[in-house]
Amino acid sequence: MIWLIGCNGMLASELKRQLEKNNMPYVGTGLDVDITDYDALLKFAQFHNTSPAGTTSRDKITWIINCAAYTAVDKAEDESEQARLVNEVGPTNIARVARIIGAKLIHISTDYVFDGKASSPYTENMPLSPTGVYGTTKAAGEKAVQKEMTQYYILRTAWLYGFDGKNFVYTMTKLFGSKDEVKVVSDQRGTPTCCITLAQTIISIIQTAQNAHKLFGPHAALPYDIYHVTDEGETTWYEFAKEIYRLARKYKKIDRECTITPCTTEEYGAKAPRPMYSVLSKKKIQSSLNIKLPKWKDSLERFFKDNNFSIK
């Protein structure tokens, strides 16, 4: 069975749909099991991995997916201790519990572990160089997982959007429907990524490991390591916004005109530093799983066409 931690977030909500679609049993926890409380995590895990005498055997937890994170990038600058607890202490506890119960861990990380000064896609083995509190605590979380256990998959992603919760696509669509002009940053480059892409990749990792274990034994699965997972291609927030506007008009999510104006990061004035270039290389995960990741524009159009689309 899969233990989905942070089960009410944007990515986890998509994962629940994909897990149910693939008939993969899971149990989800949110704030009811505090990831900063090691004893609470261990108690939950042991409850599910131990069946009292005379009772029907419970499905044991063999995989843990950690979707819990402190992701408020600007707010983290003022709440550094809370960000550290969730992004570093939490993963430390989860990895420790995973090791004790013998479960494999999939931990979600971010492009913010890099400083954004590169000019070509970041590979998994490039040195970490975070600049703000959010990126620093996420990098620390990665290192904690690697220190505590060996059976892990750390998946870095970027510019994530999905059907559940606030995200850039919903925010822009809502603004386009109510404003005459919207200013969007044009000097940061990255890759918009639909939660469906990441969720389906996570499912593929688990299924590949399970199938390989059945056929060839425990050492024939996808190697435990760090992998990058985003949609394909690269763009700016400004160009991303323009494509959102085009699709919002095409699929009648808005019925009015709006001017989209480019601005610089400095003009926008965000509190926390942002990576100016955060494109991640996906060659490793694509060759390892023999999968083809979708282009970001194709994913975005599918997102607008889906019945789950609902402006928050």
Side-chain angles (χ1 to χ4, degrees):
M1 183 172 66
I2 297 163
W3 180 7
L4 182 58
I5 297 177
C7 69
N8 297 315
M10 183 173 65
L11 173 60
S13 295
E14 182 59 44
L15 268 168
K16 286 188 283 189
R17 280 189 284 270
Q18 297 296 329
L19 290 167
E20 290 163 5
K21 181 179 179 181
N22 287 275
N23 297 313
M24 299 170 74
Y26 71 91
V27 59
T29 59
L31 297 177
D32 51 319
V33 180
D34 184 359
I35 65 171
T36 68
D37 185 339
Y38 171 76
D39 291 334
L41 286 168
L42 184 60
K43 182 179 179 180
F44 182 89
Q46 289 177 333
F47 172 80
H48 279 275
N49 280 28
T50 304
S51 298
T55 65
T56 303
S57 176
R58 299 190 185 102
D59 288 333
K60 289 189 175 182
I61 296 169
T62 54
W63 287 84
I64 299 175
I65 306 174
N66 179 30
C67 293
Y70 185 109
T71 58
V73 177
D74 286 329
K75 201 173 179 182
E77 297 297 308
D78 295 320
E79 297 184 353
S80 58
E81 179 58 16
Q82 182 62 24
R84 186 188 71 84
L85 286 171
V86 177
N87 292 342
E88 179 181 357
V89 175
T92 302
N93 293 338
I94 293 167
R96 194 172 296 163
V97 169
R99 186 187 74 238
I100 289 172
I101 67 173
K104 301 173 181 65
L105 173 62
I106 296 176
H107 174 68
I108 309 303
S109 192
T110 173
D111 57 314
Y112 274 71
V113 299
F114 300 116
D115 60 15
K117 295 180 180 179
S119 56
S120 59
Y122 284 95
T123 59
E124 288 83 352
N125 60 357
M126 294 181 76
L128 305 187
S129 52
T131 55
V133 171
Y134 169 65
T136 299
T137 56
K138 289 297 288 183
E142 287 189 10
K143 293 176 182 178
V145 168
Q146 293 172 292
K147 180 180 178 181
E148 291 293 336
M149 66 186 301
T150 57
Q151 295 187 99
Y152 65 81
Y153 298 101
I154 295 174
L155 306 183
R156 295 182 186 136
T157 193
W159 294 28
L160 204 61
Y161 64 91
F163 296 115
D164 305 274
K166 294 180 180 180
N167 60 73
F168 188 76
V169 178
Y170 282 156
T171 298
M172 287 296 106
T173 304
K174 189 173 182 178
L175 287 173
F176 296 151
S178 61
K179 302 288 185 181
D180 294 326
E181 180 184 14
V182 176
K183 291 186 177 181
V184 184
V185 171
S186 62
D187 57 358
Q188 297 174 27
R189 298 194 68 81
T191 306
T193 305
C194 186
C195 278
I196 296 174
T197 299
L198 182 53
Q200 290 179 340
T201 302
I202 290 170
I203 298 296
S204 294
I205 289 172
I206 296 173
Q207 290 178 333
T208 297
Q210 290 175 335
N211 293 336
H213 187 276
K214 291 177 183 177
L215 293 172
F216 308 112
H219 302 296
L222 181 72
Y224 299 116
D225 210 342
I226 299 173
Y227 296 89
H228 290 168
V229 184
T230 70
D231 283 325
E232 285 283 20
E234 62 179 80
T235 189
T236 65
W237 289 110
Y238 170 67
E239 293 295 336
F240 185 19
K242 286 174 62 177
E243 186 66 6
I244 292 168
Y245 178 72
R246 184 185 74 82
L247 292 171
R249 295 298 301 270
K250 177 179 178 179
Y251 291 101
K252 304 186 185 307
K253 306 299 182 182
I254 58 173
D255 59 0
R256 64 193 304 281
E257 292 187 359
C258 177
T259 299
I260 308 171
T261 304
C263 69
T264 66
T265 298
E266 185 177 4
E267 289 171 336
Y268 185 77
K271 186 166 190 174
R274 260 65 172 177
M276 300 302 288
Y277 183 87
S278 60
V279 180
L280 304 176
S281 171
K282 280 77 66 177
K283 291 180 180 179
K284 185 176 175 181
I285 190 71
Q286 293 194 97
S287 62
S288 298
L289 281 180
N290 192 27
I291 60 172
K292 184 177 181 180
L293 296 169
K295 295 178 181 178
W296 74 265
K297 284 188 178 182
D298 293 338
S299 287
L300 185 61
E301 180 142 19
R302 283 193 294 270
F303 182 75
F304 268 91
K305 290 171 67 176
D306 198 290
N307 290 330
N308 287 312
F309 185 102
S310 177
I311 301 172
K312 301 295 188 283

